[in-house]
């Protein structure tokens, strides 16, 4: 590469305008060509570069590199208007990771197909699984089993109830639509294709209330066992949809409201470890 | 002017299934580093958890910064001023070292991204992890993960630092680095350091509390605890089965800690470990103190 500059050097005004981005495309391109050959002008232009701004830009680049790429859900939540700090906290939940959600969709495809072509047994299987999907998701979104840093997180000022509710909302938003789609594959459900939502929400509320006493995973296991017993029993009596009888739907709604009330009254318990470990 | 202590525990008791993990503990802490020693199961972790407000006492009163953290607002106000490293510190999957501390900083209300990242860089440099900040936590060594836990506890220069075995798995060189960090923190903050490492307490702390069976067995200056072993430690040519403890040292002579001097023994300078062994007797020997 030639180092000849023909005796010409850029003046201070041009260097300053170039750094500010005000030099115009022709002068900027010409100067860039010149800078490649002229060490003197490269030295002089350094004095025009705002160092703090450059440092700040470098730090941002470095932080992005070391922080790791934000999760897909985190980026989506930010695009939907959720504040970035909340999006980060929500997306950390294991049951909101891509692998969990992909597993959920695959499961629901099988459950839906089974319900569509498997007669009463398939329908029973769908009613067993559908309301428990959000319960499992919430159980693995909060608490010591979902977050290995739970104890350290408890000692921070971030409100535990807010974190629990944010993650619950995200789990419901992520898990209910695929279950609803799977429900469309179940002709035997007719109008009750959405009725299972009520026990699903009621069981989720019960899980939240119980998490003020015991670990969410323990409660989820107990609720799952109870719901399985109810559906199996109804199925043996020839009508699995009996668990969605109108009287029971009212009972689910009442239970859900009571559970939310318990959660509100006992939310203080979420701020401490529930049991020795 | 009355100085409000950082920590004031009065008659604190905690039982798990009928067994007292803490039994009528009274403890007042102010700025400086206090070491918390005791055998496994002595109640150290329970004491730290209660002080960190993550566990409620069964009985007694906990006052932090002059406030009883009863309601949500008082609790949040207290938690804004404390840093806590639990005994078992896991990390959510998928984070880099920087990402994990950043996550904890969000929980500590650092909402401004630029300020938060600057603070995360600061604490990572303090614990000498800035060079591996881009690595996944799962790829870090046990000692590095422990230092990462300490880094999150140091976020925001807390007024109260509660550390449950911070030097576990940390190599000797890094332990010296951590001692420098903690000694600086102790100049302005109240630091309660639970450990099995008596040499960490001897090197760092001006005060030591010994717990045993949930009760405070000693609370005073480190030098005062060491002084209780004066005249009860010897170097002998043979082991002494009657002593509280005796072992062969690297010089070939036997260090004897007990009540009576073995024949031909010469007095030795007592250490904090000797005093601890004498204070707790058989319990210290069976549960062990890492030398």
């Amino acid at each position: 590469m030639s180092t000849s500059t023909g005796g010409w050097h850029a003046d201070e005004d041009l260097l300053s305008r170039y750094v500010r981005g005000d030099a115009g495309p022709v002068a900027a391109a010409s100067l860039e060509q010149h800078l490649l050959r002229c060490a003197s002008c490269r030295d002089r232009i350094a004095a025009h570069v705002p160092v703090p701004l450059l440092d700040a830009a470098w730090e941002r680049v470095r932080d992005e590199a070391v922080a790791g790429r934000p999760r897909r859900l985190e980026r989506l939540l930010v695009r939907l208007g959720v504040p970035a700090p909340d999006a980060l906290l929500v997306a950390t939940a294991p049951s909101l990771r891509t692998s969990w959600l992909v597993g959920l969709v695959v499961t629901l495809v099988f459950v839906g197909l089974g319900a569509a072509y498997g007669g009463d047994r398939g329908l029973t299987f769908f009613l067993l699984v559908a309301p428990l999907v959000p319960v499992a998701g919430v159980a693995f979104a909060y608490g010591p089993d979902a977050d290995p840093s739970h104890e350290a997180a408890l000692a921070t000022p971030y409100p535990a109830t807010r974190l629990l509710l944010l993650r619950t909302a995200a789990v419901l938003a992520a898990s209910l639509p695929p279950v609803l789609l799977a429900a469309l594959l179940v002709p035997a459900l007719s109008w009750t294709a959405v009725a299972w939502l009520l026990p699903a929400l009621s069981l989720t509320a019960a899980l939240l209330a119980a998490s003020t006493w015991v670990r969410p995973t323990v409660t989820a296991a107990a609720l799952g066992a109870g719901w399985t017993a109810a559906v199996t029993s109804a199925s043996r009596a020839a009508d699995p949809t009996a668990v969605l009888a109108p009287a029971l739907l009212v009972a689910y709604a009442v239970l859900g409201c009571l559970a939310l009330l318990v959660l509100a009254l006992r939310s203080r318990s979420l701020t401490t470890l529930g049991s020795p470990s | 002017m009355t100085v409000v202590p950082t920590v004031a525990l009065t008659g604190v008791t905690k039982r798990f299934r009928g067994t007292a993990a803490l039994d009528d503990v009274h403890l007042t802490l102010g700025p400086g580093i206090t070491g918390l020693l005791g055998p496994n199961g002595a109640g150290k972790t329970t004491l730290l958890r209660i002080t960190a407000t993550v566990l409620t006492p069964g009985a007694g009163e906990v006052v932090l910064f002059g406030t009883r953290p009863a309601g949500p607002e008082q609790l949040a106000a207290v938690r804004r001023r404390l840093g806590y490293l639990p005994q078992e510190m896991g990390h959510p999957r998928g984070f880099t070292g920087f990402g994990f501390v950043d996550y904890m900083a969000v929980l500590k209300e650092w909402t401004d991204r630029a300020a938060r990242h600057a603070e995360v860089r600061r604490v990572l440099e303090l614990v000498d992890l800035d060079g591996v900040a881009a690595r996944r936590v799962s790829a870090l060594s046990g000692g590095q993960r422990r230092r990462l836990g300490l880094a999150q506890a140091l976020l925001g220069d807390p007024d109260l630092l509660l550390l449950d075995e911070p030097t576990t798995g940390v190599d000797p060189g890094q332990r010296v680095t951590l001692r420098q960090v903690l000694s600086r923190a102790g100049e302005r903050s109240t630091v309660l350091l639970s450990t099995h490492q008596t040499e960490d307490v001897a090197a760092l702390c001006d005060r030591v509390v010994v717990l045993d069976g949930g009760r405070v067995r000693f609370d005073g200056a480190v030098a005062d605890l060491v002084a209780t072993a004066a005249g009860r430690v010897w170097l002998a040519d043979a082991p002494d089965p009657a002593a509280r403890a005796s072992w062969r040292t690297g010089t070939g002579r036997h260090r004897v800690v007990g009540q009576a001097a073995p024949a031909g023994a010469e007095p030795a300078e007592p250490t904090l470990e000797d005093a601890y062994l004498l204070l707790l007797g058989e319990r210290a020997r069976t549960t062990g103190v890492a030398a």
Side-chain angles (χ1 to χ4, degrees), chain A residues 22-259:
Chain A
D22 295 338
V26 176
S30 169
L31 179 61
E32 281 165 9
Q33 286 299 313
H34 175 73
L35 286 171
L36 287 172
R37 300 191 307 272
C38 181
S40 162
C41 286
R42 283 201 298 271
D43 286 343
R44 285 167 51 232
I45 200 170
H48 293 269
V49 176
V51 175
L53 210 63
L54 206 61
D55 282 349
W58 169 239
E59 277 177 1
R60 277 201 299 278
V61 170
R62 197 176 56 172
D63 289 351
E64 294 299 332
V66 298
R69 189 169 160 72
R71 293 174 169 83
R72 282 190 193 89
L73 179 67
E74 186 182 341
R75 297 197 301 269
L76 176 69
L77 290 171
V78 170
R79 259 186 242 129
L80 291 173
V82 175
D86 286 339
L88 170 63
L89 298 182
V90 167
T92 304
S95 56
L96 288 165
R97 293 208 187 100
T98 308
S99 53
W100 176 285
L101 296 174
V102 169
L104 170 67
V105 168
V106 171
T107 305
L108 288 172
V109 166
F110 280 103
V111 170
L113 289 174
Y117 300 106
D120 267 4
R121 194 170 286 179
L123 177 62
T124 302
F125 194 41
F126 175 82
L127 287 174
L128 265 180
V129 172
L132 295 180
V133 165
V135 173
V138 173
F140 285 98
Y142 184 82
D145 296 320
D147 180 1
S149 59
H150 179 68
E151 187 176 342
L154 276 182
T156 67
Y158 196 90
T161 311
R162 177 182 164 84
L163 185 58
L164 174 63
L165 292 178
L166 273 176
R167 287 183 177 171
T168 300
V171 166
L172 292 178
S175 62
L176 290 184
V179 190
L180 273 168
L181 282 175
L184 296 178
L185 294 171
V186 191
L189 274 176
S190 63
W191 72 273
T192 55
V194 290
W196 61 269
L197 273 172
L198 208 50
L201 295 173
S202 175
L203 289 171
T204 305
L207 173 69
L208 296 179
S211 66
T212 63
W213 278 285
V214 288
R215 292 176 175 219
T217 46
V218 174
T219 311
L223 289 172
W227 180 252
T228 302
V231 174
T232 310
S233 160
S235 180
R236 280 192 186 136
D239 183 13
T241 58
V243 291
L244 301 179
L248 285 176
L249 291 180
V250 173
Y252 296 140
V254 171
L255 175 70
C257 292
L258 285 175

Side-chain angles (χ1 to χ4, degrees), chain A residues 59 62-64 66-67 71 85 88-89 92 97 147-149 151 153-156 158 167 268 271-273 276-277, chain B residues 16 49 53-54 69-70 75 79 84 86 89-93 95-96 98 103 106-107 109 113 117 121 133-134:
Chain A
E59 277 177 1
R62 197 176 56 172
D63 289 351
E64 294 299 332
V66 298
R71 293 174 169 83
L88 170 63
L89 298 182
T92 304
R97 293 208 187 100
D147 180 1
S149 59
E151 187 176 342
L154 276 182
T156 67
Y158 196 90
R167 287 183 177 171
R268 170 76 166 85
T271 63
T272 55
L273 295 169
S277 56
Chain B
F16 294 124
R49 283 176 167 172
T53 73
V54 299
L75 192 62
R79 287 177 173 178
Y84 174 47
M89 177 85 193
H91 307 85
R93 238 178 48 190
F95 274 127
T96 63
F98 186 98
Y103 166 73
V106 170
L107 288 168
E109 298 179 331
R113 188 182 169 87
H117 283 183
R121 280 196 302 275

Side-chain angles (χ1 to χ4, degrees), chain B residues 34-275:
Chain B
T34 300
L36 186 60
L37 286 175
N40 293 328
K44 302 188 299 294
T45 292
T46 303
L47 178 64
L48 257 78
R49 283 176 167 172
I50 286 175
T51 312
T53 73
V54 299
L55 197 64
T56 48
E61 190 177 57
V62 178
V63 177
L64 302 170
F65 308 108
T67 304
R68 208 166 62 84
E73 282 168 21
Q74 295 102 317
L75 192 62
V78 163
R79 287 177 173 178
R80 280 186 193 104
R81 299 178 67 181
L82 71 83
Y84 174 47
L85 172 64
Q87 186 181 45
E88 286 174 23
M89 177 85 193
H91 307 85
R93 238 178 48 190
F95 274 127
T96 63
F98 186 98
F100 172 68
V101 181
D102 190 41
Y103 166 73
M104 292 304 298
V106 170
L107 288 168
K108 293 187 177 189
E109 298 179 331
W110 288 80
T111 50
D112 179 79
R113 188 182 169 87
R116 187 174 77 236
H117 283 183
E119 177 63 7
V120 171
R121 280 196 302 275
R122 184 186 74 84
V123 294
L124 286 173
E125 278 168 24
L126 274 180
V127 299
D128 205 13
L129 280 181
D130 46 321
V132 294
R135 279 194 210 160
R136 297 260 173 198
V137 177
S138 54
L140 298 178
S141 70
Q144 286 172 327
R145 288 187 212 182
R146 206 64 195 143
R147 283 187 277 146
L148 198 62
L150 179 60
Q152 64 79 28
L154 291 167
L155 283 165
D157 258 337
D159 295 320
L160 174 59
L161 199 50
L162 301 162
L163 307 172
D164 203 344
E165 300 185 23
T167 55
T168 302
V170 176
D171 67 51
Q174 289 302 331
R175 191 178 291 175
V176 171
T177 304
L178 294 191
R179 281 180 188 170
Q180 288 170 346
V181 172
L182 296 181
S183 64
R184 274 200 298 273
E187 287 171 11
R188 61 167 292 275
S189 307
T190 301
V191 183
L192 182 58
L193 173 75
S194 168
T195 181
H196 285 296
Q197 313 285 347
T198 49
E199 69 269 40
D200 281 344
V201 175
L204 276 171
C205 305
D206 23 52
R207 179 179 165 195
V208 61
V209 173
V210 180
L211 274 182
D212 184 30
R215 299 186 75 96
V216 175
R217 290 288 305 273
F218 181 89
D219 180 1
V222 173
D224 290 345
L225 181 54
V226 175
T228 62
R232 297 161 77 185
V233 184
W234 298 273
L235 285 174
D237 293 326
D240 181 0
R244 175 94 10 116
S246 80
W247 64 92
R248 187 179 181 279
T249 66
T251 63
R253 304 200 74 194
H254 291 261
R255 190 173 183 89
V256 179
V257 182
Q259 302 298 335
E266 60 187 72
E269 194 68 29
T271 64
L272 182 60
E273 187 182 42
D274 299 328

